[in-house]
């Protein structure tokens, strides 16, 4: 997909003015934040499980090459095929080759962020194969020709009235007078329309929440059951997964499962957690005859051994974006690529380069809520700060910003001057503000005062007060 | 260089693996063979009877319905009564599970049974779970002719039997049982963990039951 991350600022301005989007984003508070809190509070071991989940992934990443070897050996032993893809293009070509060999005309898809990352839908279409998204949210945005705006709720930006319009435009074979006012009727219609597509598809593509090294198993975690129909009914099952999905054992997966759904939707466990190992066996009467796993790197190995390695612990629950004031204000599309919110702000520059993704780490107030809810305890603000440093080192920020930062840095390293300057500024701003103690405009701070008043300093500088209180 | 060698080589160079890799290899071999348990929630670590109660409560919390019967003798009537109560046809799709075969179906002559995988035309599926997990009211299904995977997903109504002795407190205990049953490092083609009927909240975050999988999940716990 085309990356519009460099236009983050104008994307954000448009998003803030989009009434439908603003209304839709209002559903995040109850839908995700409150439910997550209830689920976390309901399990006394939740914090201990977060610690252990972090430790499991740290151990795995420190031995990733060995676990990948063990995993792929097990997949082959169970009759499956492993395809290694260094780039998105390699992965796309592998998918196409498998589909062509299978003589595929239609491909059903379970929800997969990797499939978005490699842009498989457009590629298959260009090559005469029809991809059909089957997750309700993904189906909606496929009809709309949009990218997902959230990693677990792809259509979180869409209102039900908009879904109705899309369904009426697409499902022209159905009665035009039918009632589609309620989400229930919309869901029923999607269920009916997609059912035959599941049965007709030649190939099913799913993602993976985990790949288990011990057994060569791919695991998907879903609520609708579409992923299961996708990987059970067609003759060929393709799993798209990135290399960091590896988890050592069944026990390790159980640990992380306990924090995944609680952090994502506030469920204790998603409805379906499905373990797939190889193609159908002799004892099976259903399931695919071929099982392929595509292991994608696409820049992840560059993160290993760097200050961004911890990002590879991410299990894609979406809690960071649900709790991010910036994400909730502008929605996911403003971020301009596949991964939005705080995790996207770290991952996008890592995978697509800081030249394209450098805007995103700046789109944060560093309030720290993302890190406080991350089930894998990923220090997201710290990593966004690393990206800001890299952006600065590579002269990518505007000249005014660079000079401002340089001047500030120089003053900050000269305490006498800093204290003097601060005293002058406190007095100056207080004088400008006059009696009401608020400033409606201030030179060099127009971006702030355009939308709200700046409260004026009331007395002494922080350092003066610190000294008076004897450093307490 | 193959893509596999390139990816693995890159990882090794990024983590600066030296010439002696014995420590790392031992650590991986140990974890894969000893499969350490992590943090196990207390809630499921209770006496067997309480564990079954907890399983039922948790399943009901996620909108499954639960029926408890004392022996397998009562299964046919319990299935038939459930279907009658829901105004559903007296017919079920099922696999050839021994435990289902052993049931005396002559008690419910009106209840017809179709065997083998589902093609999507069956209103009701009947399966036997391999295990139940009390901590979240989860059922564990293994694929095979005994309980075909399609029966778990295509019918609108799914009835699952579980034996109370197969209900454990936590996922680790249940998955370890699969490990003993199928052999270390081996798994059946599909293992489904099912927690309630299918659902979606993709339209305005409103929770709706019955997405692509069953709209209703009815669990029959056989106490025996």
């Amino acid at each position: 997909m085309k990356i519009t991350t460099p236009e983050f600022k104008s994307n954000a301005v448009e998003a803030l003015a989009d009434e439908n989007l603003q209304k839709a984003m209002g559903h995040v508070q109850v839908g995700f934040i409150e439910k997550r809190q209830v689920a976390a509070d309901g399990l006394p071991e939740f914090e201990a499980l977060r610690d252990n989940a972090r430790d499991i992934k740290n151990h795995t990443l420190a031995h990733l090459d060995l676990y990948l070897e063990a995993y792929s050996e097990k997949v082959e032993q169970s009759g499956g095929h492993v395809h290694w893809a260094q780039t998105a293009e390699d992965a796309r070509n592998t998918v196409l080759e498998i589909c062509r060999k299978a003589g595929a005309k239609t491909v059903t898809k379970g929800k997969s962020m990797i499939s978005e990352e490699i842009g498989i839908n457009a590629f298959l279409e260009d090559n005469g194969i029809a991809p059909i998204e089957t997750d309700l949210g993904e189906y909606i945005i496929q009809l709309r020709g949009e990218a997902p705006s959230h990693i677990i709720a792809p259509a979180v930006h869409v209102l039900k009235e908009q879904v109705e319009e899309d369904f009426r435009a697409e499902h022209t074979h159905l009665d035009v007078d039918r009632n589609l006012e309620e989400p229930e009727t919309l869901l029923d219609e999607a269920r009916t329309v997609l059912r035959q597509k599941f049965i007709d598809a030649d190939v099913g593509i799913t993602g993976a929440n985990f790949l288990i090294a011990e057994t060569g198993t791919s695991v998907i975690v879903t609520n609708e059951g579409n992923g299961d129909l996708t990987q059970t009914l067609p003759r060929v099952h393709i799993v798209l997964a990135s290399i960091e999905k590896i988890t050592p054992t069944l026990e390790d997966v159980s640990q992380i499962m306990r924090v995944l759904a609680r952090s994502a939707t506030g469920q204790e466990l998603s409805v379906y957690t499905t373990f797939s190992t190889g193609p159908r066996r002799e004892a099976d009467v259903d399931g695919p005859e071929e099982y392929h796993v595509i292991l994608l790197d696409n820049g992840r190995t560059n993160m290993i051994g760097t200050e961004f390695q911890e990002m590879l612990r991410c299990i894609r629950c979406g809690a960071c974006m649900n709790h991010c004031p910036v994400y909730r204000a502008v929605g996911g599309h403003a971020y301009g690529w596949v991964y939005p919110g705080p995790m996207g702000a770290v991952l996008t520059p890592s995978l697509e380069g800081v030249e394209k993704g450098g805007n995103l780490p700046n789109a944060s107030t560093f309030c720290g809520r993302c890190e406080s809810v991350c089930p894998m305890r990923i220090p997201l603000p710290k990593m966004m700060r690393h990206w800001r440093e890299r952006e600065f080192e590579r002269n990518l920020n505007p000249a005014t910003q660079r000079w401002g930062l340089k001047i500030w840095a120089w003053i900050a390293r000269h305490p006498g001057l800093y204290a003097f300057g601060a005293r002058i500024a406190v007095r100056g701003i207080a004088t400008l503000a006059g009696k009401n103690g608020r400033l409606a405009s201030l030179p060099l701070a127009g971006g702030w005062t355009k939308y709200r008043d700046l409260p004026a300093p009331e007395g002494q500088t922080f350092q003066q007060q610190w000294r008076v209180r004897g450093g307490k | 260089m193959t893509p596999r060698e390139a990816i693995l080589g890159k990882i090794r160079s990024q983590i600066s693996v030296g010439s002696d890799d014995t420590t790392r290899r031992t650590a991986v071999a140990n974890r894969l063979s000893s499969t350490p348990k992590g943090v196990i929630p207390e809630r499921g670590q209770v006496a067997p009877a309480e564990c079954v109660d907890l399983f039922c409560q948790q399943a009901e919390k996620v909108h499954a319905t639960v029926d408890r019967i004392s022996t397998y003798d009562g299964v046919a009537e319990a299935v038939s009564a459930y279907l009658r109560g829901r105004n559903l046809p007296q017919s079920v799709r099922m696999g050839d599970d021994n435990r289902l075969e052993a049931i005396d179906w002559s008690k419910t002559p009106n209840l017809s049974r179709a065997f083998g995988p589902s093609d999507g035309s069956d209103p009701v599926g009947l399966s036997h779970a391999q295990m139940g997990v009390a901590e979240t009211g989860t059922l564990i299904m293994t694929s095979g002719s005994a309980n075909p995977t399609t029966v778990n997903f295509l019918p609108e109504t799914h009835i699952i039997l579980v034996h109370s002795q197969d209900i454990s407190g936590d996922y680790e205990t249940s998955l370890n049982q699969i490990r003993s049953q199928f052999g270390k490092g081996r798994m059946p083609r599909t293992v489904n963990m099912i927690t309630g009927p299918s659902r979606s909240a993709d339209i305005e975050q409103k929770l709706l039951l019955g997405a692509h999988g069953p709209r209703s999940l009815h669990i029959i716990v056989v106490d025996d």
Side-chain angles (χ1 to χ4, degrees), chain A residues 49-68:
Chain A
L49 281 159
R50 286 174 71 187
D51 288 339
N52 198 35
R54 173 199 59 205
D55 296 347
I56 288 167
K57 273 289 178 187
N58 280 348
H59 164 82
T60 312
L61 291 169
H63 303 85
L64 187 60
D65 51 327
L66 302 174
Y67 280 118
L68 280 165

Side-chain angles (χ1 to χ4, degrees), chain A residues 104-374:
Chain A
K105 292 191 184 65
T106 64
V107 172
T108 42
K109 292 183 63 208
K111 190 171 150 29
S112 150
M113 290 311 296
I114 298 299
S115 93
E116 302 287 347
E117 183 180 323
I118 67 171
I120 194 66
N121 287 5
F123 182 73
L124 287 176
E125 278 169 18
D126 289 347
N127 285 282
I129 296 169
I132 300 155
E133 294 288 353
T134 62
D135 171 85
L136 179 60
E138 289 282 345
Y139 180 65
I140 292 167
I141 61 164
Q142 189 183 25
L143 294 184
R144 299 172 64 80
E146 291 178 334
S149 72
H150 188 288
I151 59 172
I152 68 157
V156 70
H157 61 286
V158 186
L159 296 170
K160 68 178 186 206
E161 291 78 14
Q162 297 172 298
V163 179
E164 177 178 351
E165 272 174 44
D166 298 329
F167 278 19
R168 288 194 188 281
E170 178 72 15
H171 306 153
T172 48
H173 61 291
L174 299 173
D175 181 5
V176 288
D177 295 326
R178 68 195 188 281
N179 185 330
L180 283 180
E181 272 174 26
E182 291 307 314
E184 285 84 348
T185 49
L186 292 166
L187 175 64
D188 277 354
E189 184 161 311
R191 178 185 170 108
T192 312
V193 169
L194 285 170
R195 184 49 76 91
Q196 195 55 42
K197 310 222 172 198
F198 281 120
I199 293 168
D200 293 341
D202 308 293
V203 173
I205 300 179
T206 67
N209 292 85
F210 308 101
L211 303 173
I212 309 178
E214 179 195 355
T215 53
T217 301
S218 58
V219 182
I220 62 168
V221 174
T222 70
N223 279 317
E224 296 183 7
N226 65 305
D228 285 282
L229 293 175
T230 300
Q231 64 184 12
T232 304
L233 296 174
R235 203 181 63 74
V236 179
H237 176 198
I238 302 176
V239 179
L240 288 175
S242 48
I243 51 173
E244 82 281 12
K245 293 288 169 218
I246 292 280
T247 312
T249 65
L250 291 165
E251 280 76 2
D252 294 331
V253 167
S254 305
Q255 294 287 298
I256 303 175
M257 260 162 52
R258 289 199 182 90
V259 294
L260 173 56
R262 288 179 171 93
S263 302
T265 55
Q267 289 168 285
E268 296 214 298
L269 190 64
S270 299
V271 177
Y272 302 114
T273 301
T274 297
F275 298 69
S276 299
T277 315
R280 69 157 80 173
R281 316 289 164 74
E282 243 171 67
D284 282 308
V285 290
D286 45 26
E289 287 161 32
E290 284 178 37
Y291 175 77
H292 299 267
V293 183
I294 297 174
L295 286 176
L296 178 72
D297 177 352
N298 207 26
R300 286 164 176 81
T301 47
N302 294 330
M303 298 163 72
I304 291 171
T306 72
E307 64 264 58
F308 300 109
Q309 174 168 318
E310 290 181 278
M311 190 60 221
L312 296 174
R313 291 204 300 264
C314 177
I315 53 172
R316 307 289 190 265
C317 70
C320 62
M321 57 197 74
N322 296 337
H323 291 76
C324 175
V326 176
Y327 174 85
R328 277 162 58 203
V330 300
H333 286 158
Y335 289 78
W337 195 50
V338 180
Y339 302 106
M343 58 79 74
V346 175
L347 207 53
T348 306
S350 302
L351 301 183
E352 290 288 301
V354 68
E355 294 79 5
K356 286 184 189 163
N359 262 330
L360 301 188
N362 293 305
S364 166
T365 62
F366 283 174
C367 71
R369 290 187 78 192
C370 50
E371 183 175 356
S372 73
V373 296
C374 174

Side-chain angles (χ1 to χ4, degrees), chain B residues 130-192:
Chain B
Q130 203 66 14
M131 275 155 291
V133 187
E135 65 171 298
T136 45
T138 300
L139 293 152
I140 299 187
M141 323 294 292
T142 51
S143 67
S145 66
N147 291 286
T149 305
T150 42
V151 176
N152 297 340
F153 293 97
L154 287 171
E156 286 208 357
T157 299
H158 194 196
I159 304 174
I160 305 181
L161 264 63
V162 62
H163 195 276
S164 62
Q165 283 174 7
D166 296 330
I167 294 173
S168 73
D170 51 87
Y171 312 131
E172 283 82 349
T173 303
S174 296
L175 291 172
N176 194 42
Q177 276 175 31
I178 290 191
R179 185 183 283 135
S180 348
Q181 200 179 334
F182 290 84
K184 168 94 178 101
R186 297 167 59 86
M187 293 278 276
R189 150 65 197 169
T190 304
V191 175
N192 295 123

